[in-house]
Coordinates of all heavy atoms in Angstrom, one line a residue:
A1054 N 4.2 -21.6 -7.2 CA 2.9 -21.2 -6.6 C 2.3 -22.4 -5.9 O 1.5 -22.2 -5.0 CB 2.0 -20.7 -7.7
L1055 N 2.6 -23.6 -6.3 CA 1.9 -24.8 -5.7 C 2.3 -25.0 -4.2 O 1.7 -25.8 -3.5 CB 2.3 -26.0 -6.5 CG 1.5 -26.2 -7.8 CD1 2.0 -27.4 -8.6 CD2 0.0 -26.2 -7.6
Q1056 N 3.3 -24.2 -3.8 CA 3.7 -24.4 -2.4 C 2.6 -23.8 -1.5 O 2.6 -24.0 -0.3 CB 5.0 -23.7 -2.1 CG 4.9 -22.1 -2.3 CD 6.3 -21.5 -2.0 OE1 6.8 -21.6 -0.9 NE2 6.9 -20.9 -3.0
F1057 N 1.7 -23.0 -2.1 CA 0.6 -22.5 -1.3 C -0.5 -23.5 -1.0 O -1.4 -23.3 -0.2 CB 0.0 -21.3 -2.0 CG 0.9 -20.1 -2.1 CD1 1.4 -19.7 -3.3 CD2 1.3 -19.4 -0.9 CE1 2.3 -18.6 -3.3 CE2 2.1 -18.3 -1.0 CZ 2.6 -17.9 -2.2
T1058 N -0.5 -24.6 -1.8 CA -1.6 -25.6 -1.6 C -1.3 -26.5 -0.4 O -0.2 -26.6 0.0 CB -1.7 -26.5 -2.9 OG1 -0.5 -27.3 -3.0 CG2 -1.9 -25.7 -4.1
E1059 N -2.4 -27.1 0.1 CA -2.2 -27.9 1.2 C -1.9 -29.4 0.9 O -1.4 -30.1 1.7 CB -3.5 -28.0 2.0 CG -3.9 -26.6 2.6 CD -5.2 -26.7 3.4 OE1 -5.8 -27.8 3.4 OE2 -5.6 -25.7 3.9
E1060 N -2.1 -29.7 -0.4 CA -1.9 -31.1 -0.8 C -0.5 -31.3 -1.4 O -0.1 -30.6 -2.3 CB -2.9 -31.5 -1.9 CG -2.8 -33.0 -2.2 CD -4.1 -33.5 -2.9 OE1 -4.8 -32.6 -3.4 OE2 -4.3 -34.7 -3.0
P1061 N 0.3 -32.3 -0.9 CA 1.6 -32.6 -1.4 C 1.5 -33.0 -2.9 O 0.6 -33.7 -3.3 CB 2.1 -33.7 -0.5 CG 1.3 -33.6 0.7 CD -0.1 -33.1 0.3
L1062 N 2.5 -32.5 -3.6 CA 2.5 -32.8 -5.1 C 3.9 -33.2 -5.5 O 4.9 -32.9 -4.9 CB 2.1 -31.5 -5.8 CG 0.7 -31.0 -5.5 CD1 0.6 -29.5 -5.8 CD2 -0.3 -31.7 -6.4
L1063 N 3.9 -33.7 -6.7 CA 5.2 -34.0 -7.4 C 5.0 -34.0 -8.9 O 4.0 -34.4 -9.4 CB 5.6 -35.5 -6.9 CG 7.0 -36.0 -7.5 CD1 8.1 -35.2 -7.0 CD2 7.1 -37.5 -7.3
C1064 N 6.0 -33.5 -9.6 CA 6.0 -33.6 -11.0 C 7.1 -34.6 -11.5 O 8.2 -34.6 -10.9 CB 6.3 -32.2 -11.6 SG 4.9 -31.2 -11.8
L1065 N 6.8 -35.3 -12.5 CA 7.7 -36.4 -13.0 C 7.7 -36.3 -14.5 O 6.7 -35.8 -15.1 CB 7.2 -37.8 -12.6 CG 7.1 -38.1 -11.1 CD1 6.4 -39.4 -10.8 CD2 8.5 -38.1 -10.5
P1066 N 8.7 -36.8 -15.1 CA 8.7 -36.9 -16.6 C 7.6 -37.7 -17.1 O 7.2 -38.7 -16.4 CB 10.1 -37.5 -16.9 CG 10.9 -37.3 -15.7 CD 10.0 -37.3 -14.5
A1067 N 7.0 -37.4 -18.2 CA 5.9 -38.1 -18.8 C 6.2 -39.6 -19.1 O 5.4 -40.4 -19.1 CB 5.4 -37.5 -20.0
C1068 N 7.5 -39.9 -19.2 CA 8.0 -41.2 -19.5 C 7.9 -42.2 -18.4 O 8.1 -43.4 -18.5 CB 9.4 -41.2 -20.2 SG 10.6 -40.5 -19.1
V1069 N 7.7 -41.7 -17.2 CA 7.7 -42.5 -16.0 C 6.5 -43.5 -16.1 O 5.3 -43.0 -16.2 CB 7.6 -41.7 -14.7 CG1 7.4 -42.6 -13.5 CG2 8.9 -40.9 -14.5
P1070 N 6.7 -44.8 -16.0 CA 5.5 -45.7 -16.1 C 4.6 -45.6 -14.9 O 5.1 -45.3 -13.8 CB 6.2 -47.1 -16.1 CG 7.7 -46.8 -16.5 CD 8.0 -45.5 -15.9
P1071 N 3.3 -45.7 -15.1 CA 2.3 -45.6 -14.0 C 2.7 -46.4 -12.8 O 2.5 -46.0 -11.6 CB 1.0 -46.1 -14.6 CG 1.2 -45.8 -16.1 CD 2.6 -46.1 -16.4
E1072 N 3.2 -47.7 -13.0 CA 3.5 -48.5 -11.9 C 4.7 -48.1 -11.1 O 4.9 -48.5 -9.9 CB 3.7 -50.0 -12.4 CG 5.0 -50.2 -13.3 CD 4.6 -50.0 -14.7 OE1 3.5 -49.4 -15.0 OE2 5.4 -50.4 -15.6
K1073 N 5.5 -47.2 -11.7 CA 6.7 -46.6 -11.0 C 6.4 -45.4 -10.1 O 7.2 -45.0 -9.2 CB 7.8 -46.3 -12.0 CG 8.3 -47.5 -12.7 CD 9.1 -48.4 -11.8 CE 9.8 -49.5 -12.6 NZ 10.5 -50.4 -11.7
I1074 N 5.2 -44.8 -10.4 CA 4.9 -43.5 -9.7 C 4.9 -43.7 -8.1 O 5.4 -42.8 -7.4 CB 3.5 -43.0 -10.2 CG1 3.7 -42.5 -11.6 CG2 3.0 -41.8 -9.3 CD1 2.4 -42.0 -12.2
P1075 N 4.3 -44.8 -7.6 CA 4.3 -44.9 -6.1 C 5.7 -44.9 -5.5 O 5.8 -44.5 -4.3 CB 3.6 -46.3 -5.9 CG 2.8 -46.5 -7.1 CD 3.5 -45.9 -8.2
S1076 N 6.7 -45.2 -6.2 CA 8.1 -45.2 -5.7 C 8.6 -43.8 -5.4 O 9.5 -43.6 -4.7 CB 9.0 -46.0 -6.6 OG 9.2 -45.2 -7.8
Y1077 N 7.9 -42.8 -6.0 CA 8.3 -41.4 -5.8 C 7.5 -40.8 -4.6 O 7.7 -39.6 -4.3 CB 8.0 -40.6 -7.1 CG 8.9 -40.9 -8.2 CD1 8.6 -42.0 -9.1 CD2 10.1 -40.2 -8.4 CE1 9.5 -42.3 -10.2 CE2 11.0 -40.5 -9.5 CZ 10.6 -41.5 -10.3 OH 11.4 -41.8 -11.4
K1078 N 6.6 -41.6 -4.0 CA 5.7 -41.0 -3.0 C 6.5 -40.3 -1.9 O 6.0 -39.3 -1.4 CB 4.9 -42.2 -2.4 CG 3.7 -41.7 -1.5 CD 2.9 -42.9 -1.1 CE 1.7 -42.4 -0.2 NZ 0.9 -43.6 0.2
G1079 N 7.6 -40.8 -1.5 CA 8.4 -40.2 -0.4 C 8.9 -38.8 -0.7 O 9.2 -38.1 0.2
K1080 N 8.9 -38.5 -2.0 CA 9.4 -37.2 -2.4 C 8.3 -36.1 -2.5 O 8.6 -35.0 -2.7 CB 10.1 -37.2 -3.8 CG 11.3 -38.2 -3.9 CD 11.8 -38.2 -5.3 CE 13.0 -39.1 -5.5 NZ 13.5 -39.1 -6.8
M1081 N 7.1 -36.5 -2.2 CA 5.9 -35.6 -2.5 C 5.6 -34.8 -1.3 O 4.5 -34.7 -0.8 CB 4.7 -36.5 -2.9 CG 5.0 -37.2 -4.2 SD 3.7 -38.4 -4.6 CE 2.4 -37.3 -5.0
F1082 N 6.6 -34.1 -0.8 CA 6.4 -33.2 0.4 C 7.3 -31.9 0.1 O 8.4 -32.0 -0.4 CB 6.8 -33.8 1.7 CG 5.9 -35.0 2.1 CD1 6.2 -36.3 1.7 CD2 4.7 -34.7 2.7 CE1 5.4 -37.3 2.0 CE2 3.9 -35.8 3.0 CZ 4.2 -37.1 2.7
W1083 N 6.8 -30.8 0.5 CA 7.6 -29.6 0.4 C 8.6 -29.4 1.6 O 8.2 -29.5 2.7 CB 6.7 -28.3 0.4 CG 5.7 -28.4 -0.7 CD1 4.4 -28.7 -0.6 CD2 6.0 -28.1 -2.1 NE1 3.8 -28.6 -1.9 CE2 4.7 -28.2 -2.8 CE3 7.1 -27.7 -2.8 CZ2 4.6 -28.0 -4.1 CZ3 7.0 -27.5 -4.1 CH2 5.8 -27.6 -4.8
S1084 N 9.8 -29.3 1.3 CA 10.8 -29.1 2.4 C 11.0 -27.6 2.7 O 10.7 -26.8 1.9 CB 12.2 -29.7 2.0 OG 12.7 -28.9 1.0
N1085 N 11.4 -27.3 3.9 CA 11.6 -25.9 4.3 C 12.7 -25.3 3.4 O 12.6 -24.1 3.1 CB 12.0 -25.9 5.8 CG 10.9 -26.3 6.7 OD1 9.8 -26.1 6.4 ND2 11.3 -26.8 7.9
T1086 N 13.7 -26.1 3.1 CA 14.7 -25.5 2.2 C 14.2 -25.1 0.9 O 14.5 -24.0 0.4 CB 15.9 -26.6 2.0 OG1 16.3 -27.0 3.3 CG2 17.0 -26.0 1.2
V1087 N 13.4 -26.0 0.3 CA 12.8 -25.6 -1.0 C 11.9 -24.4 -0.9 O 12.0 -23.5 -1.7 CB 12.0 -26.8 -1.5 CG1 11.2 -26.4 -2.8 CG2 12.9 -28.0 -1.9
S1088 N 11.1 -24.4 0.1 CA 10.2 -23.3 0.3 C 11.0 -22.0 0.5 O 10.6 -20.9 0.0 CB 9.3 -23.5 1.5 OG 8.4 -22.4 1.7
T1089 N 12.1 -22.0 1.3 CA 12.9 -20.8 1.5 C 13.5 -20.3 0.2 O 13.6 -19.2 -0.1 CB 14.0 -21.1 2.6 OG1 13.3 -21.5 3.8 CG2 14.8 -19.8 2.8
N1090 N 14.1 -21.3 -0.5 CA 14.8 -20.9 -1.8 C 13.8 -20.4 -2.8 O 14.2 -19.4 -3.6 CB 15.5 -22.2 -2.4 CG 16.6 -22.6 -1.5 OD1 17.2 -21.8 -0.7 ND2 17.0 -23.9 -1.7
L1091 N 12.6 -20.9 -2.8 CA 11.7 -20.4 -3.8 C 11.1 -19.0 -3.5 O 10.8 -18.2 -4.3 CB 10.5 -21.4 -4.0 CG 10.8 -22.7 -4.7 CD1 9.6 -23.6 -4.6 CD2 11.2 -22.4 -6.1
G1092 N 11.0 -18.8 -2.2 CA 10.5 -17.5 -1.7 C 9.0 -17.4 -1.9 O 8.3 -18.4 -2.3
R1093 N 8.4 -16.2 -1.7 CA 7.0 -16.0 -1.8 C 6.6 -15.6 -3.2 O 7.3 -14.7 -3.8 CB 6.5 -15.0 -0.8 CG 6.9 -15.3 0.7 CD 6.1 -16.5 1.2 NE 4.7 -16.3 1.3 CZ 3.9 -17.2 1.7 NH1 4.3 -18.4 2.0 NH2 2.6 -16.9 1.8
C1094 N 5.7 -16.2 -3.8 CA 5.3 -15.8 -5.1 C 4.4 -14.6 -5.1 O 3.7 -14.3 -4.2 CB 4.5 -17.0 -5.8 SG 5.5 -18.4 -6.1
S1095 N 4.4 -13.9 -6.2 CA 3.6 -12.7 -6.3 C 2.2 -13.1 -6.5 O 1.9 -14.2 -6.9 CB 4.1 -11.9 -7.6 OG 3.8 -12.6 -8.7
E1096 N 1.3 -12.1 -6.3 CA -0.1 -12.4 -6.4 C -0.5 -12.7 -7.8 O -1.4 -13.5 -8.0 CB -0.9 -11.2 -5.9 CG -0.8 -10.9 -4.5 CD -1.7 -9.7 -4.1 OE1 -2.4 -9.2 -4.9 OE2 -1.7 -9.3 -2.9
V1097 N 0.2 -12.2 -8.8 CA -0.1 -12.5 -10.2 C 0.2 -13.9 -10.5 O -0.6 -14.6 -11.1 CB 0.8 -11.6 -11.1 CG1 0.5 -12.0 -12.5 CG2 0.4 -10.1 -10.9
V1098 N 1.3 -14.4 -10.0 CA 1.7 -15.8 -10.3 C 0.8 -16.7 -9.5 O 0.3 -17.8 -10.1 CB 3.2 -16.1 -9.9 CG1 3.5 -17.6 -10.0 CG2 4.1 -15.3 -10.8
A1099 N 0.5 -16.4 -8.3 CA -0.4 -17.2 -7.5 C -1.8 -17.3 -8.1 O -2.4 -18.4 -8.1 CB -0.5 -16.7 -6.1

């Protein structure tokens, strides 16, 4: 459902140290492929 938001997001394992988080910054964008594979969420999930 988060693909509906305007702000890029990323989920990481809780064990990732805070100082390492910026290194994942480049992954924090939704790709067309991911969006297509996930499809449109139902209103209930959204």
Side-chain angles (χ1 to χ4, degrees):
L1055 286 177
Q1056 66 181 298
F1057 291 113
T1058 67
E1059 296 179 357
E1060 185 164 17
L1062 299 155
L1063 178 70
C1064 275
L1065 298 171
C1068 60
V1069 174
E1072 64 271 15
K1073 295 292 185 180
I1074 292 177
S1076 67
Y1077 290 87
K1078 189 174 180 181
K1080 298 180 182 179
M1081 298 171 73
F1082 295 92
W1083 300 104
S1084 69
N1085 292 331
T1086 303
V1087 170
S1088 180
T1089 301
N1090 291 339
L1091 288 174
R1093 304 294 290 179
C1094 293
S1095 65
E1096 292 183 4
V1097 174
V1098 174

